[in-house]
Amino acid sequence: TSSTDSTDTTNDEVVVTKRVVTIGGDQSNHCRATACAARMVGLEPHLILRTKKELMGRVTGNLLFDRMVGSHIYTCTPGEYGRIGSNALVERLCS
């Protein structure tokens, strides 16, 4: 799990966005728990989910809960995960 802070100084305003980024399978208990804990402390959960299946329209199990707490959901195939690696996926999302 990785957390980042970004600052936007447009028009002399300072806006700090705090988010938590983690990776797991599409029905990951780890992602569900991380998303819930992030929301409880005021952080924005971003989940990178490994899946072979299309997630659009699927609202069951942990994926339903991830969506209910307002997680930002990104997907990758197991092959992409293997080629790119978890650290690189998180870095892409955080930059």
Side-chain angles (χ1 to χ4, degrees), residues 53-72:
K53 305 170 189 169
E54 178 61 43
L55 293 181
M56 297 303 291
R58 289 183 53 209
V59 288
T60 60
N62 286 338
L63 183 57
L64 171 62
F65 187 85
D66 296 338
R67 290 180 174 179
M68 287 174 60
V69 298
S71 298
H72 299 268

